[in-house]
Amino acid sequence: MFDQHLICRDGFRNVVTETGNTEGFEMRIRIPYYRGVPLSVVDTLTVKVAGKTYTNPHIRFTVAGGSYMMSEMETVGDRRWNFDEAAILKIYTPGGLLYIDHLVELDIAIRAPYGIFHGSDKKVLVLEPDKHLCVSSKGGV
Amino acid sequence: MGIKRGVSLYSYQQEYFLHQMDLEACIKAVADLGATGVEIIPEQMVNEYPRLSDGFLEKWFGWMKQYGTVPTCMDAFSESLLYKNRVLSESELVDLMERDLKVAAQLGCFVIRTLCTTPTGVIEKSLPLAEKYGVKIGLEIHAPLDLDSDWFKPYQDLIDRKGCAWFGIIPDMGIFEKFPSPLQQARAVRNGASQKVTDFITQAYIAGEGQDKVAAEMAKQNANQHDYAWLHRAYRTLYTSPEVLRKHKDYIFHVHAKFYDVSPDYQDECLDYENVVRVLREIGYDGYLSSEYEGNRTIEDAFPVDSVEQVRRQHEMMKRLLDA
């Protein structure tokens, strides 16, 4: 559900480390379900952009409740992704994306107690100015 | 006493999701209907869940007082698939039940809705906790699971053995569905099903044709996956006779007044409100009819959602039935 709202139009940008390397890009997404959930039930993420497909091992998931690689998040049962909250996905791909508009496709599966809730969305997004990680930024956000 | 009207704030989820209404606006919308009962899914609208602060609770009860409303039911989810590699054990699920009973007590709710997937063992072990927190546990009776079925027998057995002071049922109006929702059929067509094939399925269902026979016929019509999705949805339609409620009358804690669409002239063509309200009145039910507008999910792909108007129409319909 909420398919057309899953990919946020803002917050799509390359991420540059303190040492000047572009380590990947970020995007913001909403939840495809009618309530917030413990982070551990965010089961599967798939992002397709510029001819490449990225899945859980390449994705860091960040909400107010915490920031985790998807593989770490499988055990995070006591922090939540809220219903009204956008999550930031950081997709690790050295060099990031070219500075053109991109068709971005998202698939997401949430493990509810009575089955999987799927969501999918695709949108053409405009790359915003780079996000520069400064020395003080913690947690790899 | 009589039957009271309430709203599950679930009904306003589309507007909440899109940041067009906040929690206070949802509560005000209930009061604007002349309804009193506020049902809530904390996981939807209370970001502090499950650790509610005094500051939040002060605001919550302040709104209840200001708008003349009362908390009713809290919808809980026993998160049995919390972890990817295993199902939670019975004792872990009892811990989650205790957590939710405690939150419900803090919110002033008299009952929690537990999902129809909750094992009886979990409920039985939670009964002393329900008593401790003063909050009842209501099993949601939700289509396609039927009150008159093998699924319900162990729950009935639990009630027979332990009484119904702390455990009972919350029937969802979806079990009184006269025919498959036209709104949902239209969505199936927008998803990629064919109008012709879905009409054929709906008519076959109404005519009482077997699902296998319809599936065989569909194969000849080159039906696609969306047509088959409609076949499964249409054949999940459940019409329980409202008369069934009579024998469960002592432990109907709450009623989910679920609906998909109420017309501008206050008719729900799909769900049998007329007979359910009649039977509930006859058996002396004095709890809430708590609106659960679910059409939002079905139309949001193509149409603007106006939950406030839909719930208003439904309450007008319920008022007429209750005053009749």
Side-chain angles (χ1 to χ4, degrees), chain B residues 8-26:
Chain B
S8 170
L9 303 187
Y10 173 100
S11 301
Y12 306 123
Q13 65 184 10
Q14 182 88 14
E15 286 82 354
Y16 190 93
F17 180 90
L18 296 174
H19 304 137
Q20 294 161 350
M21 286 171 83
D22 59 14
L23 179 53
E24 182 179 1
C26 293

Side-chain angles (χ1 to χ4, degrees), chain A residues 15-36:
Chain A
V15 180
V16 181
T17 64
E18 302 92 315
T19 52
N21 295 317
T22 301
E23 59 178 351
F25 66 94
E26 271 185 5
M27 59 187 285
R28 296 169 76 237
I29 66 165
R30 298 291 302 276
I31 200 163
Y33 191 24
Y34 60 79
R35 62 177 172 115

